[in-house]
């Protein structure tokens, strides 16, 4: 496959060439030396997205590479604003640093599973990119203490509802897992699963929307959690776990002052980790205080977390994930809802 690399330093180009050649054909240019008439299936951008001049140069360079299905941006994981910038420049997917050959190859293999058949990849559906960009902008607002745009969450959610209703949950899950990773992948999966669960239960349109918006926003407090903890592979230490669990309250605090956010949505953001038996957090609620919306969202959240695609482990099969929910049904999750979730988990 032909990949064109745009970078702000020659060393970055050399490093990417080493990782990709000879398996892929690589052409490259520095951002100020914009290529003319290059055609490539995929574009890889590795540059400092905190630099305004660099961003302007990238904006000029991008349209000059033709035929591109995928625009992959390599982004410093410590600079979260860079992720927002990447999406605003038209990234179809973001690869976090530190970059290593194995994860880059894995990403390309995931994006181009049919490469042996020489099939072109048209890139992520617009609705997936739009929803990811909306999440990026909401996370950026929370991280920087700005007020989040609730209308943006509503619009992104409506688009997800339309996509899941028209193309089915499996298509949504496949597209999200193929093009996104980490917290955005998780939030997009939870929203798709929650919306499909609501549709399968015959919820009215207003309730589908309310649940969908709660799912879109449920983990927005993670914007304030350090990335070393958020993206840590494997188990968290005790102190790290306490910080991580703070995200439910932080999300609630970030949304409380935003106009128009319904009380049920605020409640769902704060309480999506509560369990019926009182073993959840942050308020150790028990069954009488846990709303139906929260009960549905919690099931969608756990299921989505189990089927996530992570670089360091294979994704869990939907059947296995559902069997874990069945084990939690009764003491922690509402049994009737877990039974009703079967169709969503396995067949839709
Ligand atoms: Fe959460
Ligand atoms: Fe979550």
């Amino acid at each position: 496959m032909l990949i064109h690399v745009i970078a702000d330093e020659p060393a970055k180009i050399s490093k990417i060439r080493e990782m990709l050649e000879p398996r892929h054909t690589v052409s490259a240019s520095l951002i100020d030396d914009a290529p003319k008439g290059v055609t490539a299936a995929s574009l890889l951008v590795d540059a400092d997205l905190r630099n305004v001049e660099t961003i302007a140069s990238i904006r000029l360079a991008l349209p000059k590479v033709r035929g591109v299905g995928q625009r992959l941006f390599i982004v410093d994981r410590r600079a979260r604003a860079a992720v927002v910038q990447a999406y605003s420049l038209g990234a179809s997917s973001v690869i976090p640093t530190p970059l290593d050959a194995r994860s880059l190859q894995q990403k390309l293999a995931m994006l181009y599973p049919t490469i042996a058949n020489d099939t072109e990849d048209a890139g992520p559906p617009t609705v997936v990119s739009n929803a990811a960009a909306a999440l990026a902008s909401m996370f950026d607002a929370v991280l920087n203490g700005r007020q989040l745009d609730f209308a943006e969450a509503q619009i992104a959610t409506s688009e997800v509802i339309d996509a899941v209703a028209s193309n089915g949950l499996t298509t949504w899950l496949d597209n999200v897992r193929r093009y996104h990773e980490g917290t955005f992948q998780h939030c997009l999966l939870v929203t798709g699963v929650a919306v499909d669960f609501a549709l399968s239960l015959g919820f009215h349109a207003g309730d589908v929307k309310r649940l969908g918006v709660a799912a879109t926003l449920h983990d927005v407090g993670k914007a304030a959690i350090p990335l070393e903890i958020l993206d840590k592979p494997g188990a968290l230490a005790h102190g790290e776990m306490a910080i991580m669990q703070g995200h439910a309250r932080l999300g609630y605090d970030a949304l409380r002052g935003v106009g128009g956010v319904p009380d049920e949505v605020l409640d769902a953001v704060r309480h999506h980790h509560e369990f019926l038996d009182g073993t959840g957090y942050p308020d150790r609620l028990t069954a009488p205080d846990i709303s139906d919306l929260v009960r549905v969202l919690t099931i969608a959240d756990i299921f989505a977390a189990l089927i996530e695609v992570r670089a360091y482990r294979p994704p869990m099969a939907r059947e296995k994930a559902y069997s874990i929910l069945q084990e939690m049904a009764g003491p922690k999750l509402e049994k009737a809802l877990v039974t009703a979730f079967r169709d969503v988990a396995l067949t839709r």
Side-chain angles (χ1 to χ4, degrees), residues 138 141-142 145-154 217 220 251-263 265-266:
M138 290 183 269
V142 171
R146 281 185 285 110
Q147 192 159 93
L148 173 156
D149 182 355
F150 183 55
E152 193 169 26
Q154 290 178 299
L217 294 169
V220 80
Y252 172 82
D253 288 343
L255 289 167
R256 205 166 30 161
V258 177
V261 182
D263 286 345
V265 172
L266 287 174

Side-chain angles (χ1 to χ4, degrees), residues 197 299 322 325-326 329 333-342:
F197 195 10
I299 291 172
Y322 183 63
L325 287 179
Q326 283 177 306
L333 306 173
E334 187 177 325
K335 211 165 186 162
L337 279 177
V338 173
T339 304
F341 188 68
R342 186 187 168 83

